[in-house]
């Protein structure tokens, strides 16, 4: 991981990129949340984010978040951005405040039942395979209405919006298309179900500009803040 001083420089750099991207498409920077991705890095990554004013961090594995969370500020919210197996659903509900990767009706029913049993209400996002990538998790675009319907039936879950990961590609048009698909999917669902679904979690270190242009409200940023994971 980078040093604290380098992290501060990186953080200012990411904020500048977000401001610039917002200026280019006439959006208010306050409408885009920077969600630091602390996976594979020590708990200091989460503590630094908190000290810099951020109030949520993201992890992709249940166990890793569970082991870091007790050492981090209690006010920090933890969001799951990795694939959730149904046998980890209960643990995930206890560790995470938000689960962004709910991608099947079976999982949503299980989470809803377990959350109710635990007396918890949890925010979730629905992960959509908006880039139509066989290597990515997420429900198909055509299955999103059925998934939303199943999620809205769970009183212990609040669906705040949609999440997508763009396919790996050297062609920036692939990410652009993915983000536009996710936004259209959200707009269609919001209109046909009469719900707001304000959150669009899309965009990472390499493609945040096109995600902002397509309407992202949540940028999941790891390497641009903490350095590349492979060399860490
Ligand atoms: C790791 C990860 C990120 C952050 O990726 P960077 O390119 O390091 O910014 C974002 N979203 C998901 C789902 C991830 O797994």
């Amino acid at each position: 991981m980078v040093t604290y001083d380098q992290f501060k420089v990186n953080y200012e750099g990411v904020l500048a990129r977000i401001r610039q991207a917002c200026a280019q498409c006439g959006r208010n920077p306050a409408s885009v949340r920077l969600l630091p991705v602390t996976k594979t890095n020590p708990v200091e990554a989460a503590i630094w984010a908190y000290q810099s004013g951020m109030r949520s961090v993201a992890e992709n594995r249940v166990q890793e978040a569970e082991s870091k969370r007790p050492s981090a500020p209690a006010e920090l919210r933890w969001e799951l951005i990795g694939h959730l197996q149904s046998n980890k659903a209960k643990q995930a509900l206890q560790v995470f405040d938000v689960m962004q990767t709910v991608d099947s009706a079976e999982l949503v029913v299980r989470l809803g039942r377990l959350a109710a049993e635990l007396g918890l209400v949890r925010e979730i996002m629905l992960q959509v395979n908006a880039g139509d990538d066989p290597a990515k998790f997420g429900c198909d675009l055509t299955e999103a209405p059925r998934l939303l319907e199943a999620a809205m039936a769970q009183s212990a879950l609040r669906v705040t919006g949609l999440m997508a990961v763009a396919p790996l590609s050297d062609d920036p048009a692939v990410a652009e298309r993915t983000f536009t698909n996710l936004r259209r999917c959200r707009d269609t669902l919001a209109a046909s179900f009469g719900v707001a679904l304000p959150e669009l979690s899309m965009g990472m270190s390499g493609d945040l500009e096109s995600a902002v242009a397509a309407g992202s409200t949540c940028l999941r940023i790891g390497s641009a803040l903490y350095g590349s994971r492979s060399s860490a």
Side-chain angles (χ1 to χ4, degrees):
M1 185 166 68
V2 296
T3 62
Y4 180 67
D5 286 344
Q6 185 63 51
F7 164 77
K8 294 291 276 183
V9 171
N10 291 350
Y11 175 54
E12 290 304 326
V14 171
L15 290 182
R17 280 174 68 189
I18 296 172
R19 277 195 302 271
Q20 171 78 15
C22 284
Q24 295 223 313
C25 60
R27 293 187 59 193
N28 179 352
S31 69
V32 185
R33 182 164 70 104
L34 168 54
L35 177 61
V37 177
T38 52
K39 69 182 183 202
T40 76
N41 287 310
V43 67
E44 281 69 29
I47 296 169
W48 294 352
Y50 182 80
Q51 287 169 346
S52 305
M54 290 174 270
R55 287 297 171 262
S56 299
V57 294
E59 288 279 337
N60 65 338
R61 291 177 58 237
V62 179
Q63 260 108 339
E64 190 174 342
E66 188 174 44
S67 71
K68 288 178 188 173
R69 192 164 181 165
S71 316
E75 299 91 328
L76 204 53
R77 281 158 57 91
W78 292 71
E79 307 198 21
L80 176 68
I81 60 167
H83 181 63
L84 179 58
Q85 289 169 320
S86 63
N87 63 355
K88 299 253 177 70
K90 184 174 178 185
Q91 212 181 344
L93 283 164
Q94 290 166 318
V95 173
F96 291 100
D97 303 281
V98 180
M99 274 149 285
Q100 296 201 0
T101 51
V102 178
D103 64 355
S104 77
E106 294 73 15
L107 181 60
V108 92
V109 168
R110 188 174 167 86
L111 285 170
R113 179 174 57 74
L114 290 168
E117 280 172 19
L118 294 165
L120 301 169
V121 174
R122 287 288 182 251
E123 287 181 14
I124 62 166
M125 295 184 207
L126 306 181
Q127 183 176 2
V128 180
N129 188 0
D132 204 14
D133 179 351
K136 287 283 185 292
F137 292 109
C139 78
D140 288 348
L141 282 161
T142 54
E143 287 168 4
R146 194 175 80 89
L147 180 54
L148 178 60
E149 190 172 19
M152 286 173 59
Q154 297 298 325
S155 55
L157 303 177
R158 303 262 176 279
V159 190
T160 61
L162 305 183
M163 180 269 201
V165 183
L168 276 178
S169 172
D170 295 333
D171 179 4
V174 172
E176 280 165 34
R177 191 165 346 112
T178 303
F179 300 150
T180 305
N181 284 346
L182 192 72
R183 190 207 173 111
R184 286 196 186 126
C185 179
R186 189 278 306 274
D187 292 347
T188 306
L189 291 172
S192 59
F193 285 81
V195 291
L197 303 176
E199 289 270 10
L200 283 175
S201 173
M202 54 190 196
M204 322 201 310
S205 296
D207 53 23
L208 75 84
E209 283 79 7
S210 60
V212 166
S216 174
T217 62
C218 176
L219 299 167
R220 307 178 307 264
I221 306 295
S223 52
L225 291 173
Y226 301 109
S228 85
R229 284 176 293 275
S230 50
S231 69

